Amino acid sequence: MRSKVVVGNWKLNGSLAGNEQLLKQLLADIPKGGPATCAVCVPYAYLAQARDVLKGSAIGWGSQDCSRFEKGAYTGDVSAKMVAEFGSRHAIVGHSERRTVFGDTDAHVAEKYSQAKRAGLTPIFCVGETLEEREKGSTEAVLARQVDALLAKDSLDGGIVAYEPVWAIGTGKTATSAQAQEAHAFIRGRIAAKAKDVAARLPILYGGSVKAANAAELFAMPDVDGGLIGGASLVAEEFVSIWRAAGGTSKG
Ligand code: PEP
């Protein structure tokens, strides 16, 4: 039995004052021992703040990327080890915005995943097709390529996968629960062909315009183990409602 996981992806948003308010609201509503795991992935610059506000709470924190290198002459990069030094639990790797805007290839993503794992983080490995790919009928081929590239270099044991159809990210268009289930089952099956036990216990999160209004329906699907939440993670009430839809109980 897999328990649910809800992770916020703040992207390039936040300020010291605004974060403090948001994190304190989350702390007030997300108790320890709830049935759903909760975390926020913040800009690197706010990892120390997340640690200071959240330490000892039910809410984990982490980064939205990490370097594919361990250390050295890579100006501007931040290593997984550095992220881990802030008590982080997660690093997202392979987010579609990193793939499209910053040119991360499948091979880079696999390297980042391994760096995160080696640093003791739980990587959140993102996969997903574009609208064009879906319309061409190549969704499964894209997912297979992305998953296989990771499995060629590392195991998904101990990691998390996030299925994020690119056409649903930040667009307000959510995959239907049936579309999400179909993609999640495909991903799990692809991994199971290589490692059945790993696939059975692997959390696969859905990401793409999840809101309080659609979370429960998505999370009710048998292969949807929670969500990676972008825009809605910046609004405390929305994020808490999504966490509750994943089975979280409220303090209040
Ligand atoms: C994301 O960026 O991972 C995401 C799912 O964004 P949104 O929820 O805003 O679509």
Side-chain angles (χ1 to χ4, degrees), residues 9 11 95 97 164 168-170 207-210 228-231:
N9 172 16
K11 311 195 186 199
H95 191 282
E97 287 152 17
E164 298 211 307
I169 297 180
S209 300
V210 178
L228 181 56
I229 320 298

Side-chain angles (χ1 to χ4, degrees), residues 78-218:
V78 175
S79 75
K81 246 183 173 170
M82 294 170 187
V83 172
E85 274 199 300
F86 289 90
S88 306
R89 192 192 289 163
H90 297 293
I92 297 172
V93 298
H95 191 282
S96 63
E97 287 152 17
R98 300 300 313 178
R99 291 179 189 260
T100 56
V101 183
F102 299 97
D104 281 11
T105 64
D106 288 335
H108 295 160
V109 175
E111 286 167 15
K112 290 177 174 199
Y113 180 95
S114 297
Q115 288 290 345
K117 229 164 108 170
R118 240 177 272 141
L121 300 166
T122 300
I124 301 174
F125 166 56
C126 300
V127 295
E129 81 288 359
T130 62
L131 184 59
E132 199 190 343
E133 288 162 341
R134 174 162 282 266
E135 286 173 346
K136 271 199 319 216
S138 44
T139 297
E140 291 191 350
V142 171
L143 297 178
R145 190 204 75 222
Q146 292 172 334
V147 167
D148 290 353
L150 194 290
L151 291 179
K153 295 266 169 62
D154 210 329
S155 156
L156 278 163
D157 201 14
I160 293 176
V161 172
Y163 168 60
E164 298 211 307
V166 180
W167 48 271
I169 297 180
T171 59
K173 274 189 214 151
T174 316
T176 63
S177 49
Q179 284 172 324
Q181 170 57 27
E182 196 181 7
H184 284 227
F186 175 79
I187 293 165
R188 199 179 303 285
R190 191 87 189 171
I191 297 160
K194 295 220 166 125
K196 205 163 175 239
D197 294 352
V198 172
R201 59 177 176 259
L202 181 73
I204 305 182
L205 315 185
Y206 169 79
S209 300
V210 178
K211 310 182 233 350
N214 58 25
E217 195 187 331
L218 286 159

Side-chain angles (χ1 to χ4, degrees), residues 27-39:
L27 275 182
D29 281 330
I30 297 182
K32 272 190 175 170
T37 301
C38 185

Side-chain angles (χ1 to χ4, degrees), residues 41-82:
C41 287
V42 304
Y44 295 127
Y46 299 135
L47 282 172
Q49 184 187 28
R51 174 199 57 199
D52 293 346
V53 178
L54 298 177
K55 71 176 166 246
S57 79
I59 308 166
W61 59 92
S63 63
Q64 302 162 18
D65 191 30
C66 66
S67 176
R68 62 192 172 100
F69 305 107
E70 193 182 335
K71 62 176 182 175
Y74 303 105
T75 302
D77 248 8
V78 175
S79 75
K81 246 183 173 170
M82 294 170 187

